[in-house]
Amino acid sequence: MTDKPLHTSNDLPSVGRRTLLMMTGAGVAAAGLASIGGVALAQAQASDEWYKTFPRSENVTQEKVTFTNRYGITLTGDLYMPAEHGDAALPALAVAGPFGAVKEQSAGLYAQTMAERGFVTLAFDPSFVGESGGEVRDVASPDINTEDFMAAVDYLGLHDAVDRERIGVIGICGFGGMALNAVAADKRVKAVATTSLYDMSRVMARGYYDSMTDEQRTDALTQISQHRWTDAENGAPDMAGGLPDSLDGIDDPVIRMYHAYYKTDRGYHPRSVNSNGGWTVTNPLSFMNMPLLTYVAEISPRPMLVIAGSEAHSRYLSEDAIAAAAEPKELMIIDGADHVDLYDQMDVIPFDRLAEFFGQHLAA
């Protein structure tokens, strides 16, 4: 695919479709419902309607919960528990991702499936996304989103059904990087796993495969910095846009792969950043300036499981995270799988290995 220019409504200088998509969140967004900010749809979600991208399991219970992070932002999550769990306190998992998805997508599928296997699980919307709080919508932060995982651990550790000494974390896609960053600092977490890991800081700061030149980085930062004046003058941030509604004339396999999940019945959700309006134009700024995985070696001696598809364009990020980490660590490559297969394909996601991993390392 040629790197076609993508213009915003305020004539942001063109940086190329795939480059802009990468910088604003791994190529996931399109004009749509961002303007509602999740408010009207949050009211609909308060009903008993399932409203998720995966079928309900009769073997677990699920309830809507809220909790507050260190910055005072109220987060909303779905708490899943085994239907028959008895009185004993259980191990628990905080689950989030992919970057720009909501808890009704991949995170909820992971959480429900792991609850079927005996864990209390919390799939949550990060700050500024979905049903969680934050006045500006559809913006991300390497610091605040890292904190969101820690706030989820706060909540789980205070729950009557949870053994607070047996809490783990699962991060999917861009929230895999946030998960590793959180666990490096939060010594309460006993084990961490990621699937289709993205280091959002590295990808935004350096481009895919670290291909961004110093000149390109300076140009991107200049464009985004200048756009802050546009947002300040308008009193609201512009949206970057992203995935097209149609794939006519688009051959790029990465864009087609994301489109197949976020823009179709397979994974579309009306609150998902990636399924709709995308991130703000200025979203990359803090990621480009604040590396996420600087202290990944400090996860040790707690175990780390990193899972990636053999055909994933993001595989190198998982391999490099493992290389930078200290023991104990494990890299699991799923033969034939691409990046998005690990979002929702039940015959591809290695839930048996995840259950074994957390069963061993969160044992009583």
Side-chain angles (χ1 to χ4, degrees), residues 25 48 147 245 253 273 339 353 360:
D48 291 331
E147 159 63 20
D245 290 324
V273 178
H339 180 89
R353 179 64 190 121
Q360 175 186 352

Side-chain angles (χ1 to χ4, degrees), residues 228-283:
R228 290 181 62 108
W229 274 321
T230 301
D231 288 349
E233 184 177 29
N234 292 339
D238 278 336
M239 308 310 295
L243 284 174
D245 290 324
S246 169
L247 288 175
D248 291 347
I250 295 176
D251 297 322
D252 189 295
V254 174
I255 294 177
R256 297 185 71 89
M257 176 192 65
Y258 283 121
H259 187 282
Y261 181 76
Y262 287 111
K263 301 293 286 185
T264 71
D265 289 344
R266 173 184 168 191
Y268 176 85
H269 195 278
R271 277 195 298 273
S272 170
V273 178
N274 300 346
S275 289
N276 299 288
W279 298 101
T280 64
V281 169
T282 58
N283 192 56

Side-chain angles (χ1 to χ4, degrees), residues 7 71 118 282 340:
H7 301 278
Y71 295 104
T282 58
V340 172

Side-chain angles (χ1 to χ4, degrees), residues 37 43 70 103 125 172 183 219 251 286 293 306 315:
Q43 295 171 351
R70 187 166 56 90
K103 63 187 179 303
D125 288 333
I172 308 162
V183 175
D219 183 54
D251 297 322
S286 58
L293 299 185
V306 174
R315 174 177 170 173

Side-chain angles (χ1 to χ4, degrees), residues 131-334:
E131 292 185 302
S132 286
E135 182 176 347
V136 177
R137 307 309 299 169
D138 303 333
V139 68
S141 161
D143 178 28
I144 295 174
N145 294 150
T146 293
E147 159 63 20
D148 291 341
F149 267 116
M150 299 185 187
V153 173
D154 293 344
Y155 175 86
L156 289 170
L158 296 177
H159 198 283
D160 290 342
V162 172
D163 181 348
R164 68 165 57 178
E165 299 303 321
R166 302 163 66 195
I167 297 176
V169 163
I170 296 176
I172 308 162
C173 183
F175 274 81
M178 251 75 82
L180 297 183
N181 199 41
V183 175
D186 193 335
K187 305 305 183 182
R188 299 172 299 175
V189 180
K190 298 302 189 290
V192 59
T194 70
T195 59
S196 292
L197 169 71
Y198 250 83
D199 177 346
M200 297 309 305
S201 290
R202 177 178 173 183
V203 171
M204 291 190 197
R206 305 183 197 172
Y208 282 126
Y209 307 104
D210 302 330
S211 61
M212 186 182 291
T213 66
D214 290 345
E215 182 180 4
Q216 289 170 328
R217 173 180 165 83
T218 298
D219 183 54
L221 285 169
T222 299
Q223 292 182 47
I224 298 169
S225 300
Q226 291 286 333
H227 202 82
R228 290 181 62 108
W229 274 321
T230 301
D231 288 349
E233 184 177 29
N234 292 339
D238 278 336
M239 308 310 295
L243 284 174
D245 290 324
S246 169
L247 288 175
D248 291 347
I250 295 176
D251 297 322
D252 189 295
V254 174
I255 294 177
R256 297 185 71 89
M257 176 192 65
Y258 283 121
H259 187 282
Y261 181 76
Y262 287 111
K263 301 293 286 185
T264 71
D265 289 344
R266 173 184 168 191
Y268 176 85
H269 195 278
R271 277 195 298 273
S272 170
V273 178
N274 300 346
S275 289
N276 299 288
W279 298 101
T280 64
V281 169
T282 58
N283 192 56
L285 272 176
S286 58
F287 285 94
M288 294 180 74
N289 201 41
M290 300 177 188
L292 272 168
L293 299 185
T294 302
Y295 299 107
V296 66
E298 295 184 9
I299 292 173
S300 177
R302 295 159 298 158
M304 170 176 153
L305 171 63
V306 174
I307 302 167
S310 66
E311 308 310 305
H313 67 288
S314 57
R315 174 177 170 173
Y316 75 102
L317 295 165
S318 292
E319 293 171 337
D320 288 356
I322 279 288
E327 296 289 349
K329 57 185 178 180
E330 175 186 348
L331 176 64
M332 183 178 188
I333 301 297
I334 307 300

